[in-house]
Amino acid sequence: MCGIIGYVGNRNVIEVLMKGLSALEYRGYDSSGAAIISDNKTKIYKAEGKLQNLKNLLNEKADEVKDSHVGIGHIRWATHGVPNLINAHPHTSNCGKIAVVHNGIIENYKELREKLTKMGAEFKSETDTETVAHLVAFKYKETHDLKEAVTLAAKELEGAYALCVVHQDEGNKIVATRRNAPLVIGIGDGEMFAASDVPAMIEYTKQAIYLDDNQVAVLTNDKIELFDENNKQIQPKIELLPWEPVSLSKMGYKHFMLKEIHEQPNVIRNFLTGKIHTAKEKVKLDEVKLDFEQLKQMNRIQIVACGTSLHAAMVGKYIIEELCNIPVDIEPSSEYIYRHTVTDEKTLVIGVSQSGETADTLTAVRQSKARNSHILIITNRPDSSMAREADSLIPVDAGIEVSVAATKSYIAQLTAFYLLAIHLAEIKNSCDNDKLVNLKNELLILPQKIELFLTKKEKIQKCSRMYSSSKNFIFIARGLNYPTALEGALKLKEISYINATGYPAGELKHGPIAMIDETLPVLSILMDGKVYEKVLSNAQESKARNARMIALTDVDSDERLEELFDFVLNVPHVDELVSPIMAIVPLQLLAYYIAEFLGKDVDQPRNLAKSVTVE
Ligand code: F6R
């Protein structure tokens, strides 16, 4: 979390930094700051709260830095110390000449803080980052060279960091380095950029260098010098970014989340294009670098992911086991990495991540790679750290997702799992061909059905208004829509702050039913298929305890629904196997309209960040 940016060049430094930080706002938004070298001085500007507050401050102070050509900026998601002005980055050395912005966590900061305090450093903030500023300052006293000082300091840091450092006595440069946190360098014509992510610089350049762990880059306006972990100068590998300047427009929608929900039919269509031509032909998924022989060796699949990506993985497990007859385990990455997992060269390990930077999933993937597993990555960011670990890479191509709550990337991940499962089944010959043809047909017509549903949102809006004052919410489902219940609940809690929980419907009577009374909405996901009757009878149990009853269903001919439920949300009928893709859309909208009705900050909910780069 946190986003950093650095700029050296002749443009308006404030403008470049602020545009860059706006593009990084998805990484955090509780405070922000900038260090700008001007009149041979390191000038620091910080603001609490949203980035707009820093923009306002810098507008007022623009005259103070108008001759500047070098600046670094930061947008924070607090880990160490509350989000206030003192803890906001940049952090400075006691002499005030050195400034540091940091993304990541310095794990040995307590030891360093003690050591540096004994050496005479005076700490002002509660952050781990301030140790870096003091450490670089002490190294600078020894070396009188910023690059050497940063290189030596970095050797003493444990944990994760992407850093940009400036010093007023070397006011023409930025020194940047990273370990286990993303950092990309942009090469312009007479200008250089460093940033946590490409959107921060794509307006200015498409030429980039992805730093490897422990490399140190020295950026001046006309050159980049790159050093490897042995401090040996190396030739940078410049890549052309396959990006267009990112449109951050809401296209007339009130929020990015609503826009992204409406983009979902096209996300599925785009993803299927070139992969399924006709339902009768085999899926073309050249991204998967496993042939029949290799697949025969695999005796299990493990999927690691977090949050919404984990819910996509849960659906993935269901579909792969159904079609491919291979055992699939799924686990939150944060659990996977701290236990003995039985993983070897016979295990296919799938990492799922919208951002491709989630620290826990990245660690899980690296651990499995070290055990010689084949690594398959499903991500929306083919340029991410996780993608670079992949033996097989499936980019989901959902386009940039600005809203912190994941919607279209989830739908894209689900689509990826369906294609993967069909592809593996076709290689292994593990499933009846008619079933596969039917599934491909269902996928091909799904975007139209979602589009149809998206034209009829009035009922969801009405339902959202009716239930928006609820303090708690329960979602129940069974089978492959159990993850839909979890994802519906996650969406609702993260943007409306209502305490929402998803349960397997059959589990309700084993404890959660104790919570039910006449104030509690219970939303039952009743998609046509083999567990329909079961969920219906579990819903009866809630009705008997006077719950407020909501149904989400694709069945329109069951009279019992109107009797049992206060509110029935209908979606177009779909085949049971693809129902998780259809069923999540109304739940995304329900969460959206409830949050919007409550006046919450839908796109940037409190305490969250889109890219979780700390464990
Ligand atoms: C929820 C959400 C998070 C992410 C989770 C993993 O809307 O966005 O739960 O899904 O932080 O992030 P990625 O997919 O980037 O690994």
Side-chain angles (χ1 to χ4, degrees):
M1 354 267 267
C2 300
I4 67 172
I5 174 132
Y7 175 69
V8 192
N10 288 325
R11 293 178 199 264
N12 179 322
V13 172
I14 294 183
E15 200 179 302
V16 177
L17 295 184
M18 291 308 106
K19 275 195 181 170
L21 289 183
S22 296
L24 297 175
E25 229 178 338
Y26 72 88
R27 302 177 72 87
Y29 33 80
D30 60 38
S31 56
S32 51
I36 296 174
I37 307 283
S38 162
D39 302 325
N40 301 322
K41 294 254 170 340
T42 301
K43 298 182 179 168
I44 304 289
Y45 303 91
K46 297 184 185 188
E48 278 181 41
K50 289 290 179 76
L51 180 62
Q52 190 56 44
N53 299 339
L54 180 67
K55 290 183 180 170
N56 296 345
L57 175 73
L58 283 168
N59 273 344
E60 285 166 27
K61 308 278 182 184
D63 277 352
E64 287 180 17
V65 292
K66 62 175 183 289
D67 66 332
S68 174
H69 301 294
V70 175
I72 56 177
H74 188 268
I75 187 122
R76 183 164 187 249
W77 185 86
T79 54
H80 295 67
V82 294
N84 62 17
L85 269 193
I86 296 176
N87 291 330
H89 299 214
H91 290 284
T92 52
S93 55
N94 288 147
C95 63
K97 294 180 177 184
I98 296 171
V100 175
V101 289
H102 166 220
N103 163 220
I105 287 185
I106 307 299
E107 283 170 4
N108 58 338
Y109 82 101
K110 279 200 179 125
E111 298 87 306
L112 286 173
R113 198 175 167 115
E114 244 170 62
K115 177 177 134 182
L116 292 162
T117 305
K118 280 188 193 138
M119 289 164 75
E122 283 173 25
F123 279 80
K124 300 186 198 88
S125 75
E126 302 159 84
T127 65
D128 52 336
T129 306
E130 197 182 345
T131 56
V132 182
H134 295 301
L135 192 56
V136 172
F138 281 109
K139 301 297 179 193
Y140 194 84
K141 274 190 197 148
E142 293 164 23
T143 58
H144 302 286
D145 182 281
L146 187 59
K147 180 223 131 201
E148 292 303 325
V150 172
T151 306
L152 289 175
K155 288 200 188 318
E156 293 188 29
L157 302 178
E158 286 167 21
Y161 55 80
L163 296 166
C164 283
V165 186
V166 289
H167 191 309
Q168 68 184 36
D169 296 345
E170 299 185 32
N172 64 337
K173 71 175 66 149
I174 295 170
V175 178
T177 185
R178 73 172 279 253
R179 189 195 299 155
N180 296 330
L183 190 63
V184 56
I185 306 295
I187 317 284
D189 189 8
E191 57 185 353
M192 297 286 164
F193 306 80
S196 300
D197 198 359
V198 170
M201 60 174 73
I202 196 68
E203 182 178 339
Y204 309 109
T205 181
K206 283 191 162 191
Q207 298 201 82
I209 299 163
Y210 287 96
L211 287 198
D212 283 338
D213 277 354
N214 304 318
Q215 290 184 337
V216 177
V218 181
L219 310 178
T220 48
N221 63 344
D222 56 355
K223 70 171 190 281
I224 166 171
E225 293 173 302
L226 189 63
F227 299 85
D228 70 9
E229 58 188 342
N230 302 315
N231 206 6
K232 192 170 138 251
Q233 189 160 357
I234 50 172
Q235 202 55 36
K237 196 173 129 231
I238 299 176
E239 294 178 32
L240 202 60
L241 296 169
W243 282 70
E244 290 309 319
V246 177
S247 158
L248 291 182
S249 152
K250 293 185 191 137
M251 310 285 281
Y253 290 98
K254 189 166 176 195
H255 293 98
F256 282 107
M257 182 176 175
L258 193 58
K259 170 178 164 247
E260 287 159 6
I261 291 172
H262 282 81
E263 284 171 352
Q264 296 183 117
N266 276 338
V267 166
I268 302 174
R269 258 187 211 113
N270 291 344
F271 196 43
L272 296 181
T273 304
K275 297 187 175 72
I276 302 184
H277 292 292
T278 64
K280 292 222 161 88
E281 285 173 68
K282 286 192 171 169
V283 160
K284 197 166 170 319
L285 202 58
D286 298 341
E287 292 86 345
V288 179
K289 310 288 180 206
L290 287 169
D291 58 22
F292 175 73
E293 284 308 318
Q294 287 165 301
L295 212 51
K296 229 170 62 183
Q297 301 302 315
M298 303 286 173
N299 55 20
R300 65 195 295 204
I301 295 178
Q302 289 176 341
I303 316 182
V304 285
C306 303
T308 290
S309 298
L310 183 68
H311 299 152
M314 291 171 80
V315 177
K317 169 188 163 78
Y318 196 104
I319 302 294
I320 295 171
E321 289 192 339
E322 173 88 14
L323 305 187
C324 309
N325 207 25
I326 308 178
V328 182
D329 299 323
I330 33 163
E331 199 164 351
S333 318
S334 52
E335 292 299 317
Y336 182 92
I337 58 184
Y338 290 112
R339 68 181 188 87
H340 174 75
T341 51
V342 184
T343 309
D344 58 22
E345 69 286 350
K346 291 188 178 154
T347 318
L348 167 61
V349 173
I350 305 180
V352 193
S353 173
Q354 186 283 129
S355 63
E357 299 294 346
T358 298
D360 289 317
T361 309
L362 189 55
T363 307
V365 161
R366 286 180 175 153
Q367 281 181 0
S368 329
K369 196 172 178 165
R371 293 184 199 141
N372 299 321
S373 302
H374 184 97
I375 304 294
L376 188 152
I377 299 295
I378 297 176
T379 182
N380 198 25
R381 295 299 302 270
D383 54 343
S384 62
S385 306
M386 220 175 287
R388 274 173 271 144
E389 302 291 336
D391 299 309
S392 297
L393 173 64
I394 306 185
V396 299
D397 290 337
I400 188 129
E401 191 174 61
V402 177
S403 166
V404 164
T407 53
K408 63 175 179 171
S409 62
Y410 177 68
I411 288 267
Q413 289 167 347
L414 290 181
T415 312
F417 271 116
Y418 282 89
L419 289 186
L420 176 65
I422 299 172
H423 178 67
L424 296 182
E426 285 175 341
I427 300 178
K428 279 178 62 119
N429 210 4
S430 56
C431 182
D432 174 50
N433 194 45
D434 288 348
K435 186 168 173 173
L436 296 181
V437 170
N438 183 49
L439 180 54
K440 282 182 261 184
N441 261 327
E442 285 292 327
L443 286 170
L444 287 168
I445 55 175
L446 200 54
Q448 253 169 289
K449 292 187 180 178
I450 298 176
E451 254 157 16
L452 177 71
F453 169 74
L454 285 171
T455 58
K456 300 176 187 161
K457 298 187 290 287
E458 298 74 18
K459 207 161 178 193
I460 298 263
Q461 285 165 316
K462 192 168 164 211
C463 180
S464 307
R465 267 197 303 277
M466 263 179 77
Y467 294 96
S468 61
S469 58
S470 306
K471 297 276 171 278
N472 300 291
F473 230 100
I474 283 183
F475 294 73
I476 57 169
R478 291 178 97 140
L480 82 174
N481 276 304
Y482 167 47
T484 313
L486 295 179
E487 177 59 10
L490 179 64
K491 287 287 92 77
L492 184 59
K493 67 186 138 199
E494 67 182 331
I495 62 171
S496 73
Y497 319 142
I498 291 172
N499 177 26
T501 316
Y503 292 106
E507 277 292 299
L508 209 57
K509 55 185 157 305
H510 298 287
I513 205 163
M515 295 185 297
I516 294 182
D517 63 16
E518 66 288 351
T519 65
L520 185 71
V522 175
L523 188 150
S524 308
I525 302 174
L526 284 151
M527 301 300 278
D528 199 9
K530 61 178 169 225
V531 291
Y532 178 82
E533 289 297 333
K534 293 285 167 205
V535 180
L536 201 61
S537 76
N538 295 137
Q540 295 274 10
E541 297 159 6
S542 305
K543 175 85 171 174
R545 273 100 194 152
N546 296 323
R548 302 177 75 188
M549 302 290 288
I550 311 168
L552 165 62
T553 185
D554 64 341
V555 174
D556 58 10
S557 55
D558 187 345
E559 284 167 4
R560 292 171 298 172
L561 295 179
E562 291 300 333
E563 279 165 28
L564 187 57
F565 293 94
D566 307 323
F567 224 105
V568 180
L569 298 170
N570 291 98
V571 289
H573 188 266
V574 289
D575 184 271
E576 186 184 16
L577 265 192
V578 297
S579 62
I581 306 186
M582 185 75 242
I584 193 56
V585 182
L587 300 186
Q588 295 167 338
L589 284 171
L590 183 77
Y592 172 79
Y593 285 120
I594 289 181
E596 202 243 327
F597 188 69
L598 294 174
K600 303 295 182 204
D601 190 345
V602 172
D603 285 331
Q604 295 184 337
R606 71 182 182 204
N607 304 341
L608 296 181
K610 192 149 188 72
S611 188
V612 185
T613 54
V614 294
E615 277 184 14

